[in-house]
Amino acid sequence: MSKNIVFIPWIKDESRATRSLPYKYSISSWRQWCKKNDCELVIMDEPICPVSEMKITWQRYYVFDILENSGIDYDQVLMVDADTIIHPDTPNFFKMTDGKFTAVHNEGCYDWICRSIENYHKHLFSDMEIPFGVNEYINTGFLIFNKSHKQFINKFLEFYNNNADKINQIQETFKVGTCQSVIQYLLKIENVDLNLLPYEYNMCDLPRKEILDEQLTMTKVGWIYHYNAIPNNHDASLTMYWMKKTYEHLYGKLND
């Protein structure tokens, strides 16, 4: 019997061990939410190819192949970043998709967002007008899709493979996102019906909102906490601090 899947890439890189270590709190929180909501948690813990050839942010879109080659039947799939923690009382967002490609608007640094949109447009999509507004720009750390979107995801990966050098050059030159801006354009080009959930379901850029504090204010106003864009986060020490503190506040001590 098929289930809804929560799919999390968690590739442990020994050369950057401190970055991935806090993600154990994410995995544990999602595992408990999945059990409560009769979903299945699937961890992508090995790369498909060397990261030097293809970043994990792109490799993760082979999710359909990974599930099918593993013999996992599925209904809807949430692909979510490992630097997130979910509140145990989070409503079942799989019931909010209406079968559409579902995401959350990226409420973050609009300078970075605009630079991403503009540079990918100038260097990759200059043959068209920008087909979406800043208010439609989504964060790819929380995406829900289903089998009806497999053709789109395959086209998206094909587009990357045909333009990998240019995409990587844009990303490295202008310090903009990897897959995030590209998928915005392809969603419009392929006329994919997009469903947006509110900020509470992917609370990015928490420090900028002034709700990542010792009182853990974000846990009082939303459901899924995304620990990105934390200033002065050397060796991911602040990611560890806040993810551990949030997890223990919501779930108690984690037994490693």
Side-chain angles (χ1 to χ4, degrees), residues 100-118:
K100 298 177 182 178
F101 195 100
T102 296
V104 177
H105 170 55
N106 197 130
E107 281 283 355
C109 174
Y110 281 93
D111 171 69
W112 182 85
I113 290 171
C114 289
R115 281 191 292 110
S116 297
I117 295 171
E118 291 166 0

Side-chain angles (χ1 to χ4, degrees), residues 4 11 17 19 43-44 58 61 69 76 83 94-96 113 121-123 166 187 191 217 226 232 238-239 253 255:
N4 292 321
I11 311 298
R19 179 175 180 176
I43 308 299
M44 177 186 176
W58 286 99
Y61 288 95
N69 290 337
Q76 299 183 88
D83 57 346
F94 286 114
K95 298 178 180 179
M96 305 175 189
I113 290 171
H121 179 251
K122 179 179 180 180
H123 299 284
K166 185 176 289 187
L187 284 166
N191 295 312
T217 300
H226 198 160
N232 303 313
L238 292 177
T239 306
K253 186 175 178 59
N255 295 319

Side-chain angles (χ1 to χ4, degrees), residues 57 112 164 210:
T57 48
W112 182 85
E210 299 183 354

Side-chain angles (χ1 to χ4, degrees), residues 72-231:
I72 298 172
D73 197 7
Y74 58 91
D75 185 8
Q76 299 183 88
V77 178
L78 165 66
M79 187 171 72
V80 65
D81 282 357
D83 57 346
T84 58
I85 286 180
I86 184 168
H87 192 291
D89 297 331
T90 301
N92 190 338
F93 39 76
F94 286 114
K95 298 178 180 179
M96 305 175 189
T97 66
D98 196 27
K100 298 177 182 178
F101 195 100
T102 296
V104 177
H105 170 55
N106 197 130
E107 281 283 355
C109 174
Y110 281 93
D111 171 69
W112 182 85
I113 290 171
C114 289
R115 281 191 292 110
S116 297
I117 295 171
E118 291 166 0
N119 282 294
Y120 276 105
H121 179 251
K122 179 179 180 180
H123 299 284
L124 195 59
F125 297 101
S126 59
D127 59 340
M128 66 173 70
E129 296 294 327
I130 297 174
F132 54 86
V134 174
N135 62 309
E136 298 176 90
Y137 193 89
I138 61 174
N139 181 276
T140 53
F142 179 100
L143 298 177
I144 303 175
F145 35 74
N146 57 57
K147 292 174 184 177
S148 72
H149 301 113
K150 186 175 180 180
Q151 184 178 6
F152 167 72
I153 294 296
N154 287 339
K155 286 184 177 180
F156 179 57
L157 285 167
E158 182 182 10
F159 183 88
Y160 170 80
N161 289 322
N162 290 336
N163 298 277
D165 289 344
K166 185 176 289 187
I167 289 170
N168 290 327
Q169 183 182 30
I170 293 168
Q171 196 272 323
E172 293 296 332
T173 302
F174 301 103
K175 307 303 179 186
V176 292
T178 54
C179 66
Q180 195 157 278
S181 289
V182 180
I183 203 169
Q184 321 283 331
Y185 283 96
L186 267 292
L187 284 166
K188 289 295 186 180
I189 291 170
E190 298 297 329
N191 295 312
V192 177
D193 199 0
L194 180 64
N195 175 54
L196 291 179
L197 296 183
Y199 177 70
E200 290 86 345
Y201 289 90
N202 186 6
M203 300 177 70
C204 297
D205 218 338
L206 293 166
R208 197 180 303 274
K209 305 294 187 299
E210 299 183 354
I211 53 177
L212 184 65
D213 53 25
E214 293 298 331
Q215 293 73 42
L216 298 176
T217 300
M218 76 282 189
T219 63
K220 300 175 177 64
V221 297
W223 300 116
I224 298 172
Y225 321 113
H226 198 160
Y227 298 85
N228 64 343
I230 300 176

